[in-house]
Amino acid sequence: MINPERKQPKISPKLSLVTLAISVFLSQAAMANTQVIHAGELLSVPGKAPLKNHTVVIDDGAIIAVKKGFIPATTFASDATLIDLSKSFVMPGLMDMHVHLQMELGPDNTADTVKLSDADVAMKSVHYAKTTLMSGFTTVRDLLSEPEQMYALRDGVEKGWIDGPRIIAAAGISITGGHLDADGMAPDLLAMKSSKMLCDGPFECRKMTRKAIKYGADAIKVASTGGVLSNTDTGTGQQMTNNELKEIVETAHSLGRKVASHAHAAEGINAALRAGVDSIEHGSYSDKESIKLFKKTGAYLVPTLLAGATVVEMANTSDFMPAPVKAKAIRVGADMLNNFTTSYKAGVKIAFGTDSGVSKHGLNAEEAVLMYQAGMSTADILKSATVNGADLIGMSDKLGTIEVGKYADIIATDSSPLNDIKQLLDVDFVMKGGKVYKQNF
Ligand SMILES: [Zn+2]
């Protein structure tokens, strides 16, 4: 889990000489960390109108003030650093609720499963994490990777050893032969590579959920239906049973973890929503009942339009996909888009998510362009990628807006993505937790 922010100690009025010396040292250290941003346009709270000419004050990685006008940096601390974004559009860091930081889809994927060591995979994920952060995404939810390496990546980023976004790392729990189980290999290799988190029946699913959390999962991912990229002709209908889903959700929630369900067909979407999942990933074939259930439960739809567009293109222009995958890709990719428009118009809550890893890392913002083309307003897109993401992972108190008390996760673009969504494809400034990772001005 992401550690809560460390607080500066309070200075008591009665201090011994030693504690006084320590306090002076600490307050100087705090002062040295003061940064002041002059924002030409500031989208402090996505969903509300942007503010003109504002000053954001950051101390020790957190936002401590947001004020009208351009106030000189030295007003806040004699050695404060001024970051001049007075000609830019400034907003909270983007959040992607569906990525796979250990892979990128391509012809070598099957060979890689036997050629690459765990260490190789971990190194790849370090590279993809940095690419993601540099494109303006300061928080991601990884929805299925090799768990140990992913937890190590998450913790390495959190400690500041590795440049990457904040990572909410989910463990994928699958039924035997389900979408999150390994497939498409010789039986002896398959036995070795089979998912470590398989469960069949509610009792096993309860135990596996507890186990996943014991070993470090921040969230649980399940697949209530088949998937496009599983190399079996099992379709996209419901796979995990109602009682398996219910048991996983109840167990995860009782241990303070959210549950995301991959789901394409309506019966699987509805079963997962009835079981109480917090988000539906893809949601390609929602029906009227699904929309009702989304609204009743308050679950989010994470549309992953970019994954749909990517697999359609790959199916049409390359020949590495096995026949069942190719057929599913072409069918589901297009349907995903129509479903998104219907769900958005019906008022289903949307959280931004790309399934990056299917598409290339660092191109995450292309999802925003697809959402716009499918009829979503720019204001709602920006909200889905900030405020809604923070809500979905239960971190609204720390992430999603530029307000006092939040982590200083801040990005900037040349001009307003509210007027031109493509601005998100070219993020020029990236700050996470008060540290500047990119400044192209
Ligand atoms: Zn995925």
Side-chain angles (χ1 to χ4, degrees), residues 200-220:
D200 296 286
F203 174 77
E204 280 186 17
C205 289
R206 183 194 308 163
K207 189 166 185 183
M208 199 48 75
T209 306
R210 288 175 173 166
K211 214 169 168 183
I213 294 166
K214 169 181 166 179
Y215 286 103
D218 297 322
I220 301 295

Side-chain angles (χ1 to χ4, degrees), residues 173 175 179-180 222-226 236-241 245 260-265 267-273 277 280:
I173 295 180
I175 55 162
H179 174 57
L180 306 185
V222 294
S224 64
T225 74
T236 49
Q238 184 172 351
Q239 290 186 343
M240 202 167 238
T241 62
L245 283 165
S261 182
H262 156 109
H264 289 294
E267 75 259 27
I269 296 171
N270 299 350
L273 289 170
V277 299
I280 293 288

